[in-house]
Structure formats: structure tokens, C-alpha cells
């Protein structure tokens, strides 16, 4: 292996202090942080229109010859995935299966006009459907779902209409969707796209893994063909498993066989066939759709419902739903559910959008995504839809098979329209155990995220605790409380870490202007008479004492005790002049050993200081005064401009202050060494004279 070539760099320039650097290079602070935004504010109506409705801009530059065929193929492929996933996740939301297909049509049309992600496949997503299903279970009368009748698009569906003060599952779902839309549009108006940063990678991993286990637990009854009560409130998973254990003797053997065969076929396809086919063909086998079609045919012609009491999907109306206003009286009852779903669905969609945008080199606007989702949910709430979001599996397929833009979503919508108008009732005999099997297999990768705990534990014990607390709370308590626990613990972790900043002493790399940690680099040389203290983090009312204690610990000098030692030394020295005593001589010798003879200047490296408040500046003033009383000056080096402005406003550094500031650590060191040399020369001259 060849040795790296090291270039000798020689820098010749004047030594600068911070104020002089500002004067020489014409420092000019912008009066307001918003002035730049004001200069670039888009007053042109056309630009505002293009920003608000992005499809006008990108569609005008669409390369029809190059992109239309790939988009059509991607749209067709994703439409095939929408059918089984939509029906399965519709049941997951405790609403009729056809609602899942509605979600892949109505809100997706709005997202096509307003969204900025080119590859997000919008529609159903397991976690969001599960969260909606919880609200549906709490606020609706589940008996509506047992009412079935052959209806068309213009007739009234018993599963959708309410009776008296009771709400149907679809009514509750649309109320939740409407509430989610209100929160997302409010966040858009307030430009709160940044709120997604509250959901860290650790939190999202623990949350989605826990939700996956909740979903799997909710499907056990259909996998086994059991009829157990629907549980709501807290500890749903625990109560569900208890009910399953109590009713295990009533397991439907035919349902178990159907579930086992379906899961086996889907798993073999995903684990063995799909990787092999991917090497030879660009399009995946639509195994979920095949399973649903075969399951429907077998159930219909073998009369599984009549002979083996297999629970089937039941009524699926053909045609499009009649638009209706969501029950606004329910909005106040589902505010908490609406807020959590709004944040979760937006964060998932934005995360996926940013992944594809970074990979394929285009931009996704976080705030515009809020508008797109909010408007899509508003529109969908009038057409019996649950809140929609992006799906990782469908989005990945849409990109892998060659999709270029949201034209693929439009193609998918029109193919699903064909299904809604004519094909929907075909799936009425489909066993619910088949849909439950599709859900369980689809969530395998999400459930396997449980192995992330080991990864987070190796990287950070704090992150591992956040993951574990979020996961356990979601699984054993509830999804909303789990999300709250995760957010609170993430913020607490940030606070705790801010209270434990990294501190160290720096030494010089010989013959360079580099200064590095003397505890970690054996080649670093500590400069005699100098201590260079580096602090990484913020100095505020909560961390000011931490800064002071770390400084005194590493420098190994307590100015107050040092001053006390010097006063005692002066006192004992005076007593020796008057009357020599052995005890006084011993006291003087002991004090002389305690008094610092080495440190002559202290340099504070603020290059990694992120923030300082007036409380922190006051603490620095006290520390500076205490060191100056024992003749140790303090220099501040590499201070960022916002930090410098704060300490200047607070009076720590100005023309009256004795503290000197330098743009780099090297400037501060050179100044200190120059003063050391001058003082040494003066002392030498005095001693000779």
C-alpha cells in the first residue's frame, strides 16, 4: 500500500483579532432574517400558480415519447397491486373492502395535480388504516358491517348510512379523513412541514414495527376463522390474544388451511421466485392478485361459505360512491386520532418522497406535500375514503419498473375505475382469511424491523431505549400513546445529550496551525503556559454550570481557591519577615506547591459552540473575572458570528472589555506566545539591570 503524500503548506498572513477582521473585510450583517426572503418573494401570479399547482409546470415539459410508455407500464403494475392491498387494508380499517380501492382513486387524482413527488404511490398503508380502524371501532356501530345488500352506485348502502345517533363505520372513517385534512391544511398555512423532524429514524422504526405487530395480532381471528369481539381502547393486543386463547377450540379448520396455503404460496414467491424473476424480467408476478382471484373462484364454486362456514368479504357495490358530506358533528370526537394520523401519514409520505428525490436528483417541497395530502383527504372524505398516504412497496415497484412521473398514478386510477364500475362484485365470495394472509405476508419486512433494536443498541444506547419504549408502548398499550411516548423520549434524549456536551483540551500538531484533542492524539503537543479548552454544544441557563465545571476540571485550576492560597501566602510571608518560625516556613512551602506556576493564558475554542444565551454570557463574565484576578487572561477563539454578536451585545467583548477575541485558535495562540516572549524579555532585562 502506497504511503499518502503530505503537502507542506505555509500560510503567511497578519495575525487577526475578531474586530479587526470585521473592519478589514467590511462585515455587514443583514438587519432581518427575513430580508432575503423578502427580496426573493414571488409576487408574480404565474410563479405562484406554478408553485401551488406543480403539474402545470412539469407536465408542460413532459417527454411524451420517452416517458409515456414507462409510466403506463408502471401504472398498470401498481394498479394490480392496489386491488388486493386496497381490499385487505379496507378490512383493516374496519370498513367495507371497496373503500380501499376508493382510496387509490379519488385522493390520488388530487395528489396528481398538487404533489411534488414523482414516484410516491399514494393510497392505502397498513399503519394509517389500522389507526383509522381504531377510531372507527370506538365511534361506530359495528353491526352496520353485517348488513349486506346488493346495491348499485346510486342506491343507499346500509354499511354507509347512519341510523339515529349511531354512525356507520364509513361515516366515522370519512370524519377522521376530514379531520386529518384540516390538520394538514393548517400545517401548510403555518408552514409547518418541518414538524416531520420530530419523528426521528429511531422513533419511526420502533413505531412502525410496533404497529406491524398490532396489525398482525388483529388478523389472527380471520386467519383462524374465529368470531371474537372487536376490542377497543387500551391493551388491544393483549385483549385480542386473550380472546383468541379463550375461543381457540372454535377454530375453523378450513379457514386455517386456506390461510396456511395462501401464506405459503406468497412467502415462496417473495423469498424464492421474485429474486429469480427480477434477474430476467422487469415486472413482478402479481401474486397477491392471483391469490385473491383464485381464492374467490374456489370459494364461489366450492361453496365454502355454505359448507364450511368460511367468512367472506360480502357486499361490494359496483360503481362510484355518491358524494356526501362527512358527519361534522364527529370531528371534535376524533381530533386526537386526526392529529396523530395527520402527522404520521405526512411523515411517511415525505420520507419516501425524499428518498426517491435524492436517489433520482429532483426536489420535493415539504410544505407543498402538506397541501397535496390535505386537499386529497378533503376530496376523499366526500367519497367514502380513509386518510391516504404513500406505500413503500408500491412506490418501490413503481420506480423499479420504470415509472418516471405521476402520470403512472393517473394510469393506475383509470384502471381502478374499470374495477370499481364493473368488476367489484366479482370479489364478494372472497374468504377473509385470504385477505388476512395477504396483510400478514405484506407486513413481514416491517415486522422484521425488530432486528433494528440491535443496530441502534450498538450505535447509541439512548436511541435503543427510544426504540424499545416506542415499540412496547405501541404493541401493548395503544398506537397514539406509543407515538406520544416516542416523541417525548426523543425530545428528552436530545435534552439529556445537550446537558452532556463534549469537552476536551487541545494540543498543537507540530509545525502546523492544527489543534487537536490531546487525550485522543498521542502526537498532539500541549503548549507550555497555554490551555486550549474546546466546548461542543450550546451554553444556556441549563448548561452554564456544566460548562464552568468542565472548564475548571480540565484546566485543573479553581480561581477562587487559587486567590485564597495567594492571600494566605502573602500573609505568611509577611509574618516570616517579622518573626521566622518553622511552622510558617512549612505553610509557605505548602502553599507555593498549591499555587499555579504553569498556566499563563487560557484559550476558549468556540468553533463548535452552537448557541449562547444571556445566562451563558453572564457565566462567562464571572469565569473571566475570576481568572483575571489570578493574572490569567482569557482569549476567545473561532467564535461564530451569531455567537460573537450575542456576547458583544451583552458586553462581554467590547472596547471596555479585557477579553480578546480571535477568528482562529492559531491567531490566539500566536498572540499569547508573542506576549510570553515580550514578558520574558522584559523580566530578563530587569534581572540584568
Amino acid at each position: 500500500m502506497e504511503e499518502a503524500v503530505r503537502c507542506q503548506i505555509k500560510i503567511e498572513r497578519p495575525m487577526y483579532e475578531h474586530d479587526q477582521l470585521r473592519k478589514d473585510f467590511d462585515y455587514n450583517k443583514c438587519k432581518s432574517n427575513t430580508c432575503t426572503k423578502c427580496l426573493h418573494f414571488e409576487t408574480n401570479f404565474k410563479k405562484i400558480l406554478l408553485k401551488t399547482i406543480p403539474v402545470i409546470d412539469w407536465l408542460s415539459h413532459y417527454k411524451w415519447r420517452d416517458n409515456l410508455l414507462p409510466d403506463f407500464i408502471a401504472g398498470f403494475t401498481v394498479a394490480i397491486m392496489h386491488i388486493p392491498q386496497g381490499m385487505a387494508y379496507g378490512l383493516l380499517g374496519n370498513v367495507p373492502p371497496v373503500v380501499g380501492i376508493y382510496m387509490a382513486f379519488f385522493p390520488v387524482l388530487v395528489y396528481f395535480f398538487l404533489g411534488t413527488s414523482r414516484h410516491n404511490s399514494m393510497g392505502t398503508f397498513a399503519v394509517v388504516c389500522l389507526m383509522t380502524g381504531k377510531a372507527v371501532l370506538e365511534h361506530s356501530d359495528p353491526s352496520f358491517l353485517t348488513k349486506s345488500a346488493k346495491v348499485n352506485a346510486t342506491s343507499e348502502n346500509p354499511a354507509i348510512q347512519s341510523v339515529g345517533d349511531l354512525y356507520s363505520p364509513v361515516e366515522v372513517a370519512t370524519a377522521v379523513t376530514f379531520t386529518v385534512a384540516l390538520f394538514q391544511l393548517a400545517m401548510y398555512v403555518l408552514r409547518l412541514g418541518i414538524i416531520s423532524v420530530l419523528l426521528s429514524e429511531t422513533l419511526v422504526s420502533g413505531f412502525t414495527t410496533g404497529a406491524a405487530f398490532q396489525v398482525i395480532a388483529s388478523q389472527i381471528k380471520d386467519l383462524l376463522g374465529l368470531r371474537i369481539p372487536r376490542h377497543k381502547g387500551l391493551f388491544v393486543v393483549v385483549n385480542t390474544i386473550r380472546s383468541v386463547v379463550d375461543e381457540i377450540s372454535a377454530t375453523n379448520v378450513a379457514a386455517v388451511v386456506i390461510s396456511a396455503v395462501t401464506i405459503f404460496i406468497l412467502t415462496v414467491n417473495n423469498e424464492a421466485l421474485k429474486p429469480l424473476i427480477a434477474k430476467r424480467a422487469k415486472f413482478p408476478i402479481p401474486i397477491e392478485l392471483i391469490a385473491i382471484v383464485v381464492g374467490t373462484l374456489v370459494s364461489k364454486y366450492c361453496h365454502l361459505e355454505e359448507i364450511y362456514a368460511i367468512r367472506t368479504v360480502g357486499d361490494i357495490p359496483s360503481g362510484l360512491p355518491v358524494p356526501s358530506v362527512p358527519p361534522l358533528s364527529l370531528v371534535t370526537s376524533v381530533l386526537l386520532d386526526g392529529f396523530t394520523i395527520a402527522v404520521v401519514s405526512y411523515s411517511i409520505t415525505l420520507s419516501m418522497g425524499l428518498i426517491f428525490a435524492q436517489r433520482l436528483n429532483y426536489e420535493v417541497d415539504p410544505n407543498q406535500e402538506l397541501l397535496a395530502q390535505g386537499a386529497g383527504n378533503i376530496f376523499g372524505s366526500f367519497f367514502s375514503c380513509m386518510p391516504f398516504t404513500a406505500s413503500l412497496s408500491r412506490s418501490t415497484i413503481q420506480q423499479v419498473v420504470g415509472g418516471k412521473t405521476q402520470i403512472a398514478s393517473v394510469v393506475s386510477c383509470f384502471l381502478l375505475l374499470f374495477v370499481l364500475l364493473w368488476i367489484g362484485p366479482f370479489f364478494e365470495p372472497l374468504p377473509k382469511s385470504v385477505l388476512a394472509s395477504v396483510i400478514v405476508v405484506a407486513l413481514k419486512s416491517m415486522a422484521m424491523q425488530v432486528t433494528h433494536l440491535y443496530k441502534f443498541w450498538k450505535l447509541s444506547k439512548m436511541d435503543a431505549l427510544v426504540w424499545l419504549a416506542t415499540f412496547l408502548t405501541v404493541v401493548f398499550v395503544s398506537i397514539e400513546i406509543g407515538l406520544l411516548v416516542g416523541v417525548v423520549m426523543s425530545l428528552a434524549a436530545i435534552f439529556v445529550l445537550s446537558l452532556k456536551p463534549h469537552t476536551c483540551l487541545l494540543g498543537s500538531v507540530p509545525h502546523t496551525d492544527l489543534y487537536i484533542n490531546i487525550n485522543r492524539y498521542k502526537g498532539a503537543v500541549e503548549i507550555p503556559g497555554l490551555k486550549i479548552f474546546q466546548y461542543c454544544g450550546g451554553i444556556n441557563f441549563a448548561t452554564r454550570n456544566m460548562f464552568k465545571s468542565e472548564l475548571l476540571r480540565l484546566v485543573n485550576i479553581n480561581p477562587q481557591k487559587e486567590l485564597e492560597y495567594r492571600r494566605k501566602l502573602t500573609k505568611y510571608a509577611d509574618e516570616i519577615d517579622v518573626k521566622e518560625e518553622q511552622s510558617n516556613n512549612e505553610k509557605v512551602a505548602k502553599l507555593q506547591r498549591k499555587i499555579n506556576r504553569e498556566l499563563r493564558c487560557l484559550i476558549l475554542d468556540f468553533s463548535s459552540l452552537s448557541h449562547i444565551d444571556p445566562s451563558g454570557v453572564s457565566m462567562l463574565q464571572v469565569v473571566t473575572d475570576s481568572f483575571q484576578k489570578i493574572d490569567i487572561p482569557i482569549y476567545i477563539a473561532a467564535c461564530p458570528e451569531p455567537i460573537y454578536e450575542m456576547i458583544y451585545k451583552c458586553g462581554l467583548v467590547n472596547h471596555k472589555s479585557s477579553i480578546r477575541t480571535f477568528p482562529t485558535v492559531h491567531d490566539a495562540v500566536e498572540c499569547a506566545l508573542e506576549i510570553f516572549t515580550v514578558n520574558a524579555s522584559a523580566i530578563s532585562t530587569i534581572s540584568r539591570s
Side-chain angles (χ1 to χ4, degrees):
M1 183 176 180
E2 296 183 1
E3 276 191 33
V5 179
R6 298 180 181 179
C7 300
Q8 295 292 330
I9 301 175
K10 186 177 182 181
I11 301 175
E12 293 184 354
R13 62 169 176 80
M15 182 189 70
Y16 280 105
E17 291 195 43
H18 207 114
D19 278 339
Q20 191 61 44
L21 185 70
R22 285 183 159 202
K23 292 176 183 177
D24 288 357
F25 294 96
D26 193 21
Y27 174 77
N28 181 26
K29 180 193 173 187
C30 183
K31 294 183 179 180
S32 172
N33 291 331
T34 60
C35 62
T36 305
K37 297 179 182 178
C38 294
L39 291 174
H40 295 88
F41 182 72
E42 297 176 339
T43 56
N44 187 290
F45 175 76
K46 181 179 178 181
K47 290 183 178 180
I48 295 176
L49 184 65
L50 293 177
K51 186 176 179 62
T52 306
I53 310 178
V55 68
I56 300 175
D57 184 27
W58 66 260
L59 195 58
S60 62
H61 302 95
Y62 185 76
K63 299 177 181 178
W64 294 93
R65 181 175 298 178
D66 298 332
N67 295 342
L68 183 59
L69 181 59
D71 278 341
F72 182 84
I73 295 172
F76 181 82
T77 306
V78 170
I80 292 174
M81 296 181 66
H82 268 300
I83 298 171
Q85 287 190 4
M87 297 179 67
Y89 294 159
L91 286 180
L92 191 59
N94 293 317
V95 294
V98 72
V99 170
I101 301 179
Y102 293 160
M103 292 169 60
F105 180 74
F106 293 103
V108 174
L109 288 176
V110 176
Y111 187 85
F112 166 75
F113 290 98
L114 301 179
T116 57
S117 175
R118 302 175 190 174
H119 297 89
N120 271 353
S121 176
M122 308 299 291
T124 55
F125 185 69
V127 174
V128 173
C129 290
L130 178 68
M131 296 173 73
T132 307
K134 171 186 168 295
V136 168
L137 201 58
E138 289 179 354
H139 300 285
S140 70
D141 181 0
S143 63
F144 283 108
L145 284 175
T146 64
K147 301 176 182 179
S148 59
K150 295 289 183 179
V151 292
N152 56 36
T154 59
S155 64
E156 295 184 349
N157 187 348
I160 297 179
Q161 300 301 315
S162 62
V163 177
D165 294 332
L166 300 177
Y167 295 99
S168 72
V170 172
E171 282 184 315
V172 177
T174 56
V176 171
T177 305
F178 187 81
T179 307
V180 168
L182 293 181
F183 278 116
Q184 289 175 336
L185 292 176
M187 290 163 62
Y188 166 73
V189 172
L190 298 174
R191 317 302 288 176
L192 293 180
I194 194 67
I195 198 173
S196 63
V197 302
L198 291 177
L199 303 185
S200 64
E201 178 188 356
T202 308
L203 189 155
V204 170
S205 175
F207 176 79
T208 54
T209 308
F213 277 88
Q214 271 232 12
V215 172
I216 293 171
S218 70
Q219 299 306 301
I220 295 176
K221 60 181 178 60
D222 288 328
L223 292 173
L224 301 179
L226 298 175
R227 297 180 181 271
I228 60 176
R230 296 173 181 267
H231 298 284
K232 55 186 178 180
L234 305 179
F235 311 107
V236 171
V237 172
V238 175
N239 293 329
T240 299
I241 294 176
R242 183 183 301 163
S243 297
V244 169
V245 172
D246 292 340
E247 298 293 330
I248 196 68
S249 60
T251 299
N252 189 315
V253 177
V256 173
V257 171
I258 293 172
S259 302
V261 171
T262 306
I263 290 175
F264 176 76
I265 293 173
L266 294 177
T267 303
V268 169
N269 175 78
N270 293 342
E271 301 298 328
L273 298 180
K274 185 180 288 186
L276 293 176
I277 295 173
K279 297 177 181 179
R280 296 178 172 83
K282 206 171 186 180
F283 311 106
I285 296 176
I287 191 65
E288 292 88 357
L289 182 61
I290 293 173
I292 285 180
V293 171
V294 172
T296 302
L297 293 173
V298 171
S299 175
K300 181 178 181 180
Y301 293 106
C302 294
H303 307 289
L304 297 182
E305 184 177 11
E306 294 81 4
I307 299 176
Y308 300 102
I310 294 293
R311 299 181 66 190
T312 60
V313 168
D315 176 54
I316 298 180
S318 60
L320 299 178
V322 177
S324 60
V325 178
L328 301 181
S329 57
L330 258 177
V331 169
T332 55
S333 301
V334 296
L335 281 177
L336 179 60
D337 298 287
F339 176 73
T340 53
I341 294 172
V343 174
V344 170
S345 61
Y346 168 67
S347 300
I348 291 171
T349 300
L350 182 62
S351 299
M352 293 182 189
L354 292 174
I355 289 172
F356 290 114
Q358 184 177 8
R359 185 186 302 170
L360 301 170
N361 194 27
Y362 64 90
E363 296 294 327
V364 168
D365 186 342
N367 284 298
Q368 183 65 24
E369 287 296 300
L370 279 171
L371 174 62
Q373 276 198 268
N377 280 320
I378 284 282
F379 186 65
S381 68
F382 286 86
F383 291 93
S384 305
C385 292
M386 293 187 291
F388 79 125
T389 190
S391 164
L392 178 59
S393 59
R394 293 195 308 269
S395 301
T396 302
I397 291 297
Q398 181 169 313
Q399 188 264 323
V400 168
V401 300
K404 304 294 183 183
T405 66
Q406 280 293 334
I407 291 286
S409 296
V410 176
V411 173
S412 176
C413 285
F414 281 105
L415 291 174
L416 290 173
L417 178 62
F418 179 78
V419 173
L420 290 171
L421 291 177
W422 293 288
I423 302 179
F426 167 78
F427 296 105
E428 289 179 357
L430 175 65
K432 286 188 176 181
S433 54
V434 173
L435 290 180
S437 302
V438 170
I439 292 173
V440 170
V441 174
L443 290 176
K444 173 182 173 291
S445 60
M446 196 179 295
M448 289 304 295
Q449 289 180 159
V450 72
T451 58
H452 288 186
L453 176 60
Y454 177 70
K455 179 187 75 172
F456 289 124
W457 185 264
K458 288 181 63 178
L459 296 176
S460 168
K461 302 297 186 293
M462 187 71 72
D463 283 345
L465 290 176
V466 171
W467 191 99
L468 189 60
T470 305
F471 170 78
L472 293 177
T473 310
V474 168
V475 173
F476 294 107
V477 184
S478 75
I479 288 181
E480 290 80 4
I481 295 178
L483 180 62
L484 178 62
V485 167
V487 171
V488 170
M489 287 201 63
S490 295
L491 296 177
I494 294 173
F495 180 73
V496 170
L497 291 175
S498 69
L499 294 179
K500 294 184 178 181
H502 173 70
T503 58
C504 65
L505 292 180
L506 303 182
S508 171
V509 177
H511 312 298
T512 72
D513 61 348
L514 300 177
Y515 298 87
I516 53 181
N517 190 335
I518 59 175
N519 288 328
R520 299 193 177 188
Y521 292 89
K522 295 181 179 179
V525 178
E526 194 166 8
I527 302 172
L530 277 178
K531 294 283 186 183
I532 306 172
F533 175 75
Q534 185 182 63
Y535 181 90
C536 305
I539 303 177
N540 50 51
F541 66 93
T543 59
R544 58 182 179 178
N545 291 333
M546 175 69 69
F547 176 92
K548 183 177 179 180
S549 61
E550 284 294 295
L551 174 64
L552 299 183
R553 180 182 68 83
L554 290 176
V555 174
N556 197 25
I557 292 177
N558 189 321
Q560 294 180 348
K561 290 184 178 180
E562 181 85 8
L563 188 61
E564 183 181 347
Y565 294 154
R566 294 190 180 193
R567 287 172 180 168
K568 288 183 179 180
L569 180 61
T570 303
K571 175 185 175 182
Y572 294 146
D574 292 341
E575 290 178 359
I576 290 174
D577 290 340
V578 176
K579 182 180 179 182
E580 291 189 8
E581 292 183 1
Q582 182 64 27
S583 60
N584 281 339
N585 286 329
E586 291 176 356
K587 290 179 180 179
V588 169
K590 187 176 181 180
L591 286 171
Q592 285 178 336
R593 288 194 298 270
K594 288 184 177 181
I595 292 176
N596 163 65
R597 299 293 182 185
E598 298 178 356
L599 182 60
R600 299 163 63 189
C601 181
L602 176 60
I603 298 174
L604 304 180
D605 176 14
F606 280 176
S607 59
S608 299
L609 185 64
S610 58
H611 171 75
I612 190 169
D613 67 358
S615 299
V617 178
S618 299
M619 178 274 301
L620 283 180
Q621 184 68 66
V622 172
V623 170
T624 302
D625 292 342
S626 63
F627 272 93
Q628 286 178 343
K629 287 178 182 178
I630 57 174
D631 303 320
I632 299 177
I634 289 184
Y635 295 168
I636 294 178
C639 188
E641 290 295 342
I643 306 297
Y644 182 83
E645 287 160 9
M646 174 59 73
I647 63 178
Y648 186 86
K649 288 177 183 177
C650 294
L652 183 64
V653 290
N654 51 40
H655 62 282
K656 297 180 181 179
S657 174
S658 58
I659 297 181
R660 302 178 71 174
T661 58
F662 299 86
T664 69
V665 174
H666 191 61
D667 285 284
V669 171
E670 289 295 316
C671 179
L673 293 179
E674 185 177 322
I675 292 175
F676 292 171
T677 303
V678 171
N679 290 342
S681 300
I683 293 172
S684 177
T685 302
I686 292 172
S687 63
R688 286 198 301 269
S689 63

